[in-house]
């Protein structure tokens, strides 16, 4: 059974496993749009965050490292929940100089409601067909071996 996987502990919540990724469009500071439901085809690690959320900011460099490590085999999509949109997100990304993360935004907070999560950060792993595998609500160390073991479930 999935929840009995050795070493994964209770951090990885599988209670919504199998749910489809919400069909919500996110935008970048230039106005480009990404429909999350259409982003299927490879696994996606979806992270909801905000510039004012200290644990979120702490995780971002680790998520950038994950995106670099997995390359084309895993897409890391970070979606800001800042109500200030590009005015908040663009300067943050410029100051952090991420090499692999893209500044997606969804200031209407529909994504948090669709995921039934009112906490930030919230990170959800989806398989290549857009079905949830697990989620982590709250701060997590994304550099650890538990993460690689959990991601390995969806990497071919």
């Amino acid at each position: 059974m999935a929840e009995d996987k050795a070493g994964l502990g209770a951090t990885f919540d599988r209670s919504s496993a199998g749910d489809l990724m919400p069909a919500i469009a996110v935008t970048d500071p230039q106005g480009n749009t990404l429909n999350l439901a259409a982003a299927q085809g490879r696994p996606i690690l979806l992270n909801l965050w905000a510039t004012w959320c200290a644990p979120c900011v702490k995780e971002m460099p680790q998520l950038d490292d994950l995106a670099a490590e997995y390359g084309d085999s895993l897409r890391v999509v970070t979606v800001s929940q800042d109500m200030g949109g590009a005015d908040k997100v663009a300067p943050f990304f410029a100051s952090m100089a991420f090499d692999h993360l893209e500044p997606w935004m969804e200031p209407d907070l529909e994504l948090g409601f669709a995921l039934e999560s009112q906490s930030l950060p919230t990170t959800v792993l989806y398989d290549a067909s857009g079905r949830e595998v697990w989620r982590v609500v709250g701060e997590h160390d994304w550099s650890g071996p538990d993460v690689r073991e959990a991601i390995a479930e969806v990497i071919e």
Side-chain angles (χ1 to χ4, degrees), residues 15-100:
S15 62
S16 297
D19 288 357
L20 281 172
M21 184 181 308
I24 292 177
V26 297
T27 58
D28 70 9
Q30 291 75 40
N32 299 311
T33 302
L34 170 66
N35 182 330
L36 293 175
Q40 299 173 12
R42 67 176 159 163
I44 292 179
L45 188 67
L46 176 67
N47 173 265
L48 276 65
W49 70 283
T51 58
W52 49 262
C53 167
C56 300
V57 171
K58 182 178 174 184
E59 287 182 346
M60 295 294 278
Q62 296 172 0
L63 293 170
D64 190 51
D65 290 345
L66 270 183
E69 180 179 336
Y70 284 96
D72 290 338
S73 61
L74 175 73
R75 184 170 188 182
V76 178
V77 178
T78 57
V79 180
S80 166
Q81 301 293 279
D82 282 282
M83 295 176 120
D87 291 341
K88 296 284 185 185
V89 176
F92 175 82
F93 263 73
S95 71
M96 298 297 283
F98 297 121
D99 292 323
H100 303 280

Side-chain angles (χ1 to χ4, degrees), residues 88-139:
K88 296 284 185 185
V89 176
F92 175 82
F93 263 73
S95 71
M96 298 297 283
F98 297 121
D99 292 323
H100 303 280
L101 296 181
E102 301 166 272
W104 297 108
M105 303 169 296
E106 196 275 308
D108 295 332
L109 310 179
E110 292 177 32
L111 191 51
F113 287 115
L115 294 174
E116 298 179 356
S117 179
Q118 290 78 44
S119 298
L120 294 178
T122 293
T123 306
V124 184
L125 180 69
Y126 291 94
D127 65 17
S129 32
R131 298 234 174 238
E132 183 169 333
V133 178
W134 49 255
R135 68 177 56 196
V136 175
V137 177
E139 183 178 349

